[in-house]
Amino acid sequence: MRLSELNTGDIAVVVKILGHGAFRKRVMEMGFVKGRPVRVLLHAPLKDPIKYGVMNYEVSLRTAEARMIEVVKIDDPAQIRRLESAGTLEVHEEGEMIVRDEHRSINVALIGNPNCGKTTLFNTLSGATEHVGNYSGVTVDAKRRVFHHAGYTFNIVDLPGTYSLSTYSPEEMYVRRYLHDNTPDVIVNVVDTSNLERNLYLTTELIDMDRRMVIALNMYDELRAGGGELDYDMLGGMIGVPMVPVVARSGEGVARLLETVIEVYNDVQPNVRHVHVSLGADVEKAVRKLIDTLKESEAIERRFSPRYVAIKLLEGDKEAERQIAGCDDSRKILQLRDELRSALTALHDEDIPSQVASAKYGFIAGALAETLRQNTVDNREMTRLVDSVVTNKLLGFPIFFAIMFFIFWATFFLGQFPMDWIESAVAAISDVVSRVLPDGALKDLIADGIIGGVGGVIVFLPNILILYFCISFMEDSGYMARAAFIMDKVMHRIGLHGKSFIPLVMGFGCNVPAIMAARAIESRSSRLITILINPFMSCSARVPLYVLLIGTFFPAHAAVVFMGVYLTGVLVAVVTARLLRRTMFRKEETPFVMELPPYRVPTLRSSIRHTWGKGKEYLRKMGGIILLASIFVWALNYFPIGNAGDPEKDSYLESIGKAVNPVMAPLGIGWRGTVAAVAGVPAKEIVVSTLGVLYTDNEASAPAKLGARLESVNPQNGRPDFGPAEALSFMVFILLYCPCLATVTAIARECGSWRWAAFSVVYNTVIAWIVAFGVYRIALLC
């Protein structure tokens, strides 16, 4: 808890001091150090400031200052008396346990440029399975894990990749506000050692913040392999931040990194010192004037250093202006800032942000000139060689479509073998249950509801794993960024730009993280359009239905039909994007700027870990929402029992399906297909599980496969419910109709309004009906 939360008369022990250097040092000098007892003596009439007793004297702190001190409250009267007589908690065994549990907990934030290997390091440290991609925008939210090392508990947070701490993109804003609101104990600044000059710009901004920090020199093996050398001890001494070379993929240097974090946390690291990155005489003079005014007015909070805020104010940063907007002297500060900006602009031919950036890059270049020796051989020659082929104007598009066709082929044909094995196992289990259990509701529930529903979906696990493995390999290798590069002109023609391509391709895996990945798009209009068309990208949850219907009705042309379904979604997305750009989002705010990272060979371990992570998520759905949905669908289809002795009487589910079916009948979809489509609104996997329950095999012989049951004759009308035309229509409708509930929620959250989520539900369903109707009518003519 925080010191500010205590009541008058409470006693607590100091655990840690938050905040940046100057404030932190001053509070510790006043006696607020680890292990010291503090008593709350008195609250002022207006509750602020507060008088505390520490080290046998009294001191007053404002609530804002007390909020930056973490404490452990002591309630035992005997322990309180011992503490007051001893003056420190650590001399008593009971007290040591309290402090040990708390002050040995280190809050660590991982911060770095996109594509610097930050999430790989996060996975290595914590054992997590967060996705890693060799392009920007993979980490779209803060990921948190807890692990233990050397007697310390590490609370580690993986923040989105960002090039700076300005307010240009949502990632930059997210990271900056996180640092403001949470104040981590130690920042681990992850940098790509093969691109130090660019990566260290973010480091200079963190130095301006005056935060405790360790630099992880990631991908250090690439520097060594290229014949380069870096005197990281000397460089760390120059900038006042300890540096540790690591190879996150293999775990090399990770233990030393954690030891250095502990040293910095305990203030025993010799290389730690505060360094001012010189911004040039004129800018420095203006910064000092602003710092003096900020300190006089007490406008600056304890979370950021006055120097950092002063620099951001001079740059015209809106977030910095927002931070001081509530203080009494904000007008005076901004007036001085405007005068200084005008003077600097008159002295130089470039704006303030350019002057600051030039000075910082000059500082970085000077430091690297003394510490870095690179091989004269260009270690990116292989990247350029591959790019000359895969981004070639003649070969680029054929290669891309060939890769996508291979993925669809592998998903269907390679997955067919293990799918058949699992399907045979499910059929065998169902057969055993049918023979062993006596007739009745329990037997029907297990055989038809659970095994028929869940078993009908679990057989497609191999196809899901193959699809995710292929997409993961593309992302990790760096090819995905090239795909965005070659698709930029095409995307521009439909009202977007190349950066929108990556979230759209990610949608083939799952629409929810793909929608979140759209945060990497700086332009608000392009970001919203990308979010709204993303549900048309066929996610992996729909793959079981495609494999089922294509394998049943189009086995000879499976890969072509498979790709055709996906391209249908892409075509509808293109038309929708053009429509939105011409009507609701006419303005494009930002140009296309995107990093093209070097190619890297993905490790098999990383690809398998990511693939299996998705596989476990799929299996969890089997035992969760899909199991419950299957039981619910079975119950509605089973009752009333025996149809009250009247076989002509419909079940509850059949009654509901037939009531709704007139809307779907023009698409060639019967009442069972209608029920499956409605059931798929919460999660698209439920579509197949519902079909598995509805098309149960009640014969005593070995159960037929679900595909065979779909094409069997319906005794009520004398013809099958599904044929090739009906299968195409149903696939297209499931492809395009309203997104699942998780996707709808993601749309509302990322767009900032449920209005857009409602638009997506209604628009997508209407479009799905129109396109499916057209496909069905054309298929009947063929």
Side-chain angles (χ1 to χ4, degrees), residues 253-411:
V254 168
R256 178 57 193 150
L257 175 65
L258 293 176
E259 292 168 7
T260 307
V261 169
I262 294 172
E263 292 171 356
V264 171
Y265 174 72
N266 289 319
D267 298 316
V268 296
Q269 228 295 328
N271 280 343
V272 174
R273 63 189 181 94
H274 184 51
V275 174
H276 283 179
V277 178
S278 177
L279 304 178
D282 295 331
V283 176
E284 285 291 344
K285 183 178 179 180
V287 168
R288 284 194 295 272
K289 288 183 178 179
L290 265 180
I291 289 175
D292 292 341
T293 305
L294 287 169
K295 288 181 176 179
E296 289 174 2
S297 67
E298 299 184 357
I300 188 63
E301 296 184 45
R302 278 76 183 162
R303 300 176 187 272
F304 287 156
S305 72
R307 177 177 175 83
Y308 175 78
V309 177
I311 293 172
K312 286 302 177 184
L313 285 174
L314 282 175
E315 290 179 329
D317 185 272
K318 299 300 181 184
E319 183 71 4
E321 293 178 4
R322 187 187 68 83
Q323 287 176 358
I324 68 167
C327 72
D328 296 334
D329 296 329
S330 60
R331 181 175 298 179
K332 173 185 175 183
I333 295 170
L334 293 177
Q335 183 177 353
L336 174 61
R337 188 279 308 267
D338 293 340
E339 293 172 359
L340 294 172
R341 280 173 59 89
S342 299
L344 285 173
T345 304
L347 286 173
H348 302 273
D349 293 333
E350 56 183 353
D351 58 21
I352 312 299
S354 298
Q355 295 178 48
V356 171
S358 297
K360 288 188 172 183
Y361 275 118
F363 171 83
I364 294 168
L368 292 179
E370 297 185 40
T371 57
L372 177 64
R373 183 185 67 80
Q374 289 182 308
N375 197 331
T376 55
V377 177
D378 189 350
N379 57 11
R380 292 208 171 195
E381 187 61 34
M382 181 58 69
T383 291
R384 295 192 180 95
L385 180 62
V386 176
D387 273 347
S388 67
V389 177
V390 300
T391 64
N392 184 276
K393 64 179 181 180
L394 297 178
L395 300 176
F397 286 103
I399 289 174
F400 171 73
F401 286 113
I403 290 174
M404 297 305 297
F405 183 84
F406 171 78
I407 291 176
F408 298 138
W409 175 86
T411 300

Side-chain angles (χ1 to χ4, degrees), residues 387-466:
D387 273 347
S388 67
V389 177
V390 300
T391 64
N392 184 276
K393 64 179 181 180
L394 297 178
L395 300 176
F397 286 103
I399 289 174
F400 171 73
F401 286 113
I403 290 174
M404 297 305 297
F405 183 84
F406 171 78
I407 291 176
F408 298 138
W409 175 86
T411 300
F412 187 86
F413 284 98
L414 296 184
Q416 186 67 41
F417 300 102
M419 188 186 80
D420 288 341
W421 302 334
I422 298 174
E423 196 166 35
S424 298
V426 170
I429 294 172
S430 178
D431 184 44
V432 170
V433 169
S434 299
R435 286 189 286 105
V436 171
L437 293 180
D439 292 339
L442 179 62
K443 173 183 175 180
D444 291 341
L445 169 62
I446 296 176
D448 300 337
I450 297 176
I451 298 178
V454 176
V457 180
I458 201 172
V459 297
F460 301 105
L461 177 62
N463 308 89
I464 300 295
L465 296 180
I466 291 172

Side-chain angles (χ1 to χ4, degrees), residues 549-550 552-554 667-670 695 707 709-712 719-731 776 779-780:
L549 296 182
I550 293 174
T552 302
F553 299 101
F554 311 100
L667 311 183
I669 300 174
Y695 288 91
R709 285 177 259 157
L710 292 180
E711 60 182 351
S712 62
R719 60 183 181 84
D721 286 350
F722 282 93
E726 290 79 11
L728 281 176
S729 174
F730 192 62
M731 283 191 292
Y776 179 59
L780 288 177

Side-chain angles (χ1 to χ4, degrees), residues 145-161:
R145 287 292 186 275
V146 177
F147 66 94
H148 304 279
H149 177 81
Y152 287 81
T153 298
F154 286 79
N155 303 301
I156 189 168
V157 177
D158 178 24
L159 294 172

